[in-house]
Amino acid sequence: MTTPVRLYRDTGGLDPAALRPGADLVLDPLPEHGLALPHGVAVDDHLDAAARVRADREALAGLAAWRAAHGPALTVDGTDLGFVREVELVAQCFLPAARLRLALAAAGIADVTGAGLDADLLGTVADAGVTVHSNGVATVVAAPARPNIPLMTRLVGRSGIPPRVRGDVLVMSYWHLEPVWERLAGSAHVRLVPGGLVLPGAGRATALRTAARNGWSGHPSQAARRRSNQRLAAALDAAAPTDALDRAARGLLRRSAGETLARAEHWRRVMDAGRLRLAVLPFDSPEDSRVAVAAAHAAGVTTLVVQHGFDALLGDPDKTVARHVALWSEHDVAPLRAHTGAALHVTGNPGGARLAGGTAEAAGDARRAIVLVEYPSRMSARLDARIGMRHVDAALDLLERDRPGAEVVVRPHPSDRAPGSYLPLGAGRDLRVSVDQATPIEPLLGTAGLCVGALSTATLQSAALGVPTVFLDVSGIERPWPFDGAPDGLPRVTGEAGSLDAVPDPPRAAARQALGARADATERVAELISSIAAGT
């Protein structure tokens, strides 16, 4: 009799090196265990390139079919939960289910024991014809640690802030938009209404003056959020799940979308005030953005998303819902055009305007290298959880071979939960390795004589600053320009080939173009906002 394979959700609390291929299988290994985990234990180890693309497609098709079948039940108080929570439904439900199903089939595994994997995902495996046993281990979703929130902020969260809308352009801020708000804050033609209470990035006096003159969007109260949880739970419980995938999707909504109805109701009050003509957002895929966009469109308020980061083309549905999109580069137009009917405007990046010049901001130390860490996408199976550790390990191999004794600073992705996990990779190497996730990225890059980059905005910033930069690609998948190896793009090396001995001068023009580093970008975005708000 065949012993069932133990199926884990992740490697938390486990010794990854003790797990064995053929006996253990892990859906989502912790990124820091990427090299310690034997090959064949991770679910994604059993997915070749074609299967990973298929998993992405099946996840999106599964979500679309689920929304089509359960549309009325998923629309609660006028809020379409499948639309609003698209990102999390794909990332936490439909994509994991597709990866599991395809990997088990590829590995020929037909008998598993759930070892902490939640019952809903186990059910999707059973529905695929795999025999499933439970070991009685309950899955506990721990509440996030409560941050040290100031008393005034807690009080505001309890009582809420009713909307007070006197201006005509709602702004949801992000770092790259702050120069635009500074430019428009005193405009006689555009009256900015901050998302929340005050205008982020503006000086104290400007923020208070803008709020006093134009109002604010506010926040729903704790009582409204509590009622939202109750209404959502009742709606999801009104009909029995039709299969395991339906049960998994409803379970995810029940756990994580409880306050969605309160936010949607609040944004309808903001938009129904009748004063707004335009809502400006940095992205339109997360839940908070989706509820605002849905309320805006229902009230006849148009929307504009201003691109906030380089698009790696790994499944994020960002920039696909707004009526207008401001893009960094002409290279961003064609990939996005396949997914939206929005009006596309190439404006450049207001957050990158300072990089439009031709000189580096600092002369870096030739003996110092920065390694930027590749990061997986939650919306795609094409890059798995091992990618970060593989990337840093390959970078250190190249640096030790070509630049022994160098000082190396590893810069993890801002979302990386375990930045210290890269430090042990330097042990025993002829390198001085440290990890820095705190120093602002451009000053950090300016200290280096070499950047070993990942597919990221930071790699483009490095080249635009004039730092010798190479893109280290350990993924084996097709990458967008200028990371694709094109003659006019970034120098590219792999873990098996290439040299760091004679890195050419950085392709600053290509980096600036991809980054949207135009001297007039702030003005172009400000003019676009004014034009759309005026209806011209």
Side-chain angles (χ1 to χ4, degrees):
M1 182 176 179
T2 303
T3 302
V5 172
R6 292 182 295 269
L7 184 56
Y8 299 91
R9 177 71 203 219
D10 58 40
T11 50
L14 302 175
D15 177 1
L19 301 177
R20 294 180 295 114
D24 303 293
L25 198 62
V26 181
L27 177 61
D28 293 314
L30 297 184
E32 56 265 34
H33 292 160
L35 295 184
L37 194 71
H39 183 81
V41 173
V43 160
D44 292 325
D45 294 344
H46 301 279
L47 302 177
D48 61 18
R52 293 180 183 220
V53 172
R54 183 179 172 189
D56 288 358
R57 291 174 178 168
E58 288 191 3
L60 295 178
L63 175 63
W66 180 70
R67 290 184 61 191
H70 303 285
L74 298 173
T75 303
V76 183
D77 296 348
T79 299
D80 183 346
L81 297 171
F83 166 76
V84 167
R85 299 290 295 180
E86 176 183 358
V87 167
E88 297 308 320
L89 284 164
V90 171
Q92 297 190 52
C93 179
F94 289 91
L95 185 57
R99 289 166 49 222
L100 264 176
R101 186 171 58 253
L102 291 171
L104 291 174
I109 297 173
D111 201 345
V112 300
T113 293
L117 190 74
D118 61 83
D120 293 334
L121 278 175
L122 272 176
T124 67
V125 171
D127 281 0
V130 175
T131 300
V132 173
H133 309 273
S134 174
N135 63 358
V137 177
T139 299
V140 178
V141 180
R146 184 172 180 173
N148 185 18
I149 302 174
L151 175 61
M152 183 58 66
T153 302
R154 293 202 302 271
L155 292 175
V156 167
R158 290 173 187 163
S159 61
I161 303 175
R164 179 177 181 266
V165 179
R166 293 184 172 181
D168 51 13
V169 176
L170 176 78
V171 296
M172 310 277 281
S173 198
Y174 201 65
W175 67 271
H176 71 305
L177 288 171
E178 291 177 3
V180 179
W181 309 148
E182 293 173 5
R183 162 70 176 76
L184 291 175
S187 171
H189 306 292
V190 173
R191 297 179 61 181
L192 305 179
V193 180
L197 186 59
V198 296
L199 193 63
R204 181 181 178 86
T206 300
L208 292 175
R209 185 168 58 249
T210 301
R213 176 174 179 249
N214 302 337
W216 53 77
S217 68
H219 303 282
S221 68
Q222 187 179 63
R225 298 196 300 271
R226 184 168 55 249
R227 291 192 298 271
S228 172
N229 272 280
Q230 294 167 348
R231 294 200 308 273
L232 184 135
L236 292 174
D237 291 340
T242 56
D243 57 24
L245 196 53
D246 183 25
R247 184 179 298 107
R250 290 171 187 257
L252 172 64
L253 293 176
R254 187 177 289 102
R255 291 191 302 272
S256 64
E259 298 182 358
T260 298
L261 303 182
R263 294 191 183 106
E265 181 180 359
H266 183 87
W267 280 115
R268 283 193 285 268
R269 291 175 61 196
V270 172
M271 302 299 173
D272 288 344
R275 294 177 179 268
L276 292 174
R277 291 178 285 174
L278 172 66
V280 183
L281 307 95
F283 25 67
D284 61 10
S285 55
E287 175 197 2
D288 286 346
S289 297
R290 286 281 173 99
V291 292
V293 168
H297 292 171
V301 177
T302 195
T303 49
L304 166 67
V305 162
V306 182
Q307 181 177 344
H308 75 281
F310 184 79
D311 193 344
L313 304 181
L314 287 173
D316 186 351
D318 188 38
K319 307 184 294 293
T320 62
V321 178
R323 301 286 191 250
H324 296 265
V325 182
L327 296 171
W328 288 1
S329 166
E330 288 79 4
H331 287 271
D332 295 306
V333 174
L336 184 60
R337 175 55 68 206
H339 301 285
T340 181
L344 305 182
H345 313 266
V346 178
T347 59
N349 171 14
R354 65 192 176 282
L355 296 175
T359 60
E361 294 185 358
D365 185 341
R367 298 164 298 177
R368 193 175 209 232
I370 306 293
V371 174
L372 303 174
V373 183
E374 192 75 46
Y375 204 72
S377 168
R378 300 175 68 235
M379 300 293 291
S380 173
R382 284 177 285 170
L383 295 184
D384 60 41
R386 296 180 187 267
I387 190 71
M389 295 295 278
R390 288 205 314 267
H391 187 266
V392 174
D393 191 53
L396 297 182
D397 276 348
L398 288 172
L399 287 163
E400 185 179 32
R401 185 194 71 191
D402 294 345
R403 301 193 177 196
E407 178 188 1
V408 180
V409 180
V410 178
R411 175 54 174 241
H413 189 277
S415 300
D416 200 314
R417 300 174 301 170
S421 63
Y422 303 106
L423 199 55
L425 296 181
R429 298 182 190 265
D430 186 13
L431 297 168
R432 292 169 291 139
V433 179
S434 62
V435 175
D436 186 338
Q437 198 178 29
T439 303
I441 187 61
E442 288 180 14
L444 179 64
L445 291 167
T447 67
L450 173 68
C451 173
V452 181
L455 197 153
S456 68
T457 302
T459 300
L460 299 174
Q461 290 171 286
S462 175
L465 283 167
V467 178
T469 302
V470 296
F471 168 49
L472 172 59
D473 188 10
V474 297
S475 71
I477 67 173
E478 184 178 355
R479 313 316 296 264
W481 183 89
F483 297 89
D484 59 354
D488 63 338
L490 293 165
R492 180 174 174 270
V493 297
T494 68
E496 297 79 30
S499 172
L500 303 180
D501 271 338
V503 177
D505 290 338
R508 303 190 68 173
R512 287 196 296 263
Q513 184 178 4
L515 192 61
R518 300 174 53 144
D520 62 347
T522 297
E523 189 66 26
R524 289 169 68 91
V525 173
E527 289 177 356
L528 178 62
I529 290 171
S530 299
S531 174
I532 296 173
T536 59

